[in-house]
Every structure is written in C-alpha cells, then in structure tokens.
Amino acid sequence: DIVMTQSPDSLAVSLGERATINCKSSQSVFYSPYNKNYLTWFQQKPGQPPKLLIYWASTRDSGVPDRFSGSGSGTDFTLTISSLQAEDVAVYYCQQHFNIPFTFGPGTKVDLK
Amino acid sequence: EVRLVESGGGLVQPGGSLRLSCAASGFTFSSCAMSWVRQAPGKGLEWVSVIVDGADTTYYEDSVKGRFTVSRDDSKNTLYLQMNSLRVEDTAIYYCVKLSGNTAYYPADVWGRGTTVTVAS
C-alpha cells in the first residue's frame, strides 16, 4: 500500500498569513503516459463532509478561492493557503488515487493564531 | 445541483449486517465511478471501496474484503454498500463519494453528508 504522510500535524496561522501543508507518498503517484499526479487535496470543516480543493496535484476545483494552490510531483506535494481567512480553519487531507487502496494522509489541522 | 444522500446507517451488534444506500441526483450517475469512504469517530478518512461505471469492476480495502459488497442500480441512480459480519472497528460515518470520471482512478469530486454506522453490543 502507498503510505501518505502529512506535516505538520497541526499549525496555527494569523489571519492574512501563509499556511503551508506538506504531503509525502511512499512511492511516486505520477503516471507518465497521462502526465498527471494522482494526488487530491480535501478540506474538512467540523461537522461537515470533506470538500474537494485541488485535484491532479495542482488544479483548483471550481469555486475554490485562488488563495489555495497545490504543487509538487512524484512523491512530494504541498498545499498552500496564501492568505489565511477565518473560514479556512479546517482539517486538510491529501489522498493518492494512483494505487488501490486509495490512501489518505492523516490530516493537518489548521487553526487561527 | 449534484446531490448524494446516504441512508441506512444505525446501531448494529457485532456480527450483524447493514445495507447502506446513496441516492444520487444532478449528474449522469451511470457514467461515473462511485466510492465509499469512512471516518471513525475523531479519526481521519479511510477509503473503503469503489465501483466503476457499468458495475463490472469493484475494489475493496483489505479489512472489508469478503465482508462488504458495493453495488449500484443505474436505473434508480443509487449506490449500495452491503456490510456483513460487522465489527466494532467498522464504527464510522460512511460517505458516498462521486468520482469525476468513469474509472476508479479519477479524483473524488463530490461527497454526501454521510450516514453513521455504530457497531456495539
């Protein structure tokens, strides 16, 4: 199975400041014939289901604010919130859908400082 | 508007069975692969199973293999998860998840609100 790790476990960021979350896979999730990284980022607020933020590692979903961005390739990925807003307080998960089982990272909790 | 509405959760004793349903609307259900993902209380997300369009291919996480069966009825726009031989560790919110394409390897793009399964004596 591909093991997904995230760092940090949690972080507290001031309003308007940058938040950076790292996700690492135990093997590459890049599929060269399609030139795609099979890596997705989700946001989960308390009491709500997860919501898609970023797919194919760097494509923002429709309606997601442009302060959210995804980067990386192969085994190392980053989710960046360029200017944290109060509504961004949530747990963020990465998931690989390259190999079955499609594993998730343990999550990173983002709070306001 | 794309909607996924799960039902069928509840309290069941260890060794018992439940059948979850997910009613889909707002998209061409028959053209999309669908998944189940679960979240134990206070824990992270765990992928459970996926079924592709046409229902000819299914995959499962190892701990549920042989106990859970995913199926779909495209005429009713409904996804199912038959759960047998339930264990305490199956206690979780079960989310129905739409994938953005017809095979298992597409990103998940829409989640239902979930249905709660509690396995306890």
Side-chain angles (χ1 to χ4, degrees), chain A residues 73-104:
Chain A
S73 185
T75 62
D76 292 278
F77 302 90
T78 300
L79 175 70
T80 301
I81 311 172
S82 60
S83 175
L84 192 81
Q85 305 300 303
E87 60 265 32
D88 302 334
V89 169
V91 178
Y92 294 84
Y93 295 93
C94 59
Q95 184 207 18
Q96 65 82 19
H97 50 103
F98 182 82
N99 268 357
I100 288 168
F102 298 144
T103 43
F104 290 88

Side-chain angles (χ1 to χ4, degrees), chain A residues 38 42 44 49-50 97-98 100 102, chain B residues 39 47 59 95 104-105 111-112:
Chain A
Y38 284 54
F42 300 98
Q44 187 177 31
H97 50 103
F98 182 82
I100 288 168
F102 298 144
Chain B
Q39 187 169 33
W47 177 83
Y59 300 102
Y95 294 105
Y105 299 89
W111 296 63

Side-chain angles (χ1 to χ4, degrees), chain B:
Chain B
E1 179 197 1
V2 175
R3 285 195 75 201
L4 301 170
V5 180
E6 302 93 336
S7 60
L11 173 63
V12 62
Q13 292 187 336
S17 298
L18 276 178
R19 187 197 199 200
L20 307 184
S21 299
C22 170
S25 60
F27 65 101
T28 306
F29 180 76
S30 59
S31 298
C32 291
M34 299 291 296
S35 269
W36 289 97
V37 174
R38 67 185 179 183
Q39 187 169 33
K43 303 297 185 183
L45 302 169
E46 181 182 37
W47 177 83
V48 173
S49 71
V50 64
I51 184 168
V52 304
D53 72 328
D56 58 344
T57 303
T58 58
Y59 300 102
Y60 299 92
E61 192 266 331
D62 280 350
S63 71
V64 309
K65 215 173 284 185
R67 301 189 298 124
F68 290 10
T69 303
V70 61
S71 62
R72 61 192 298 161
D73 186 336
D74 289 346
S75 69
K76 295 181 178 179
N77 287 351
T78 302
L79 176 72
Y80 302 99
L81 186 67
Q82 177 67 44
M83 303 187 296
N84 299 330
S85 302
L86 281 161
R87 305 168 180 169
V88 170
E89 54 265 35
D90 295 319
T91 295
I93 298 172
Y94 284 73
Y95 294 105
C96 171
V97 183
K98 170 187 170 293
L99 303 192
S100 56
N102 62 337
T103 72
Y105 299 89
Y106 278 88
D109 60 354
V110 179
W111 296 63
R113 296 204 61 84
T115 187
T116 300
V117 172
T118 304
V119 185
S121 52

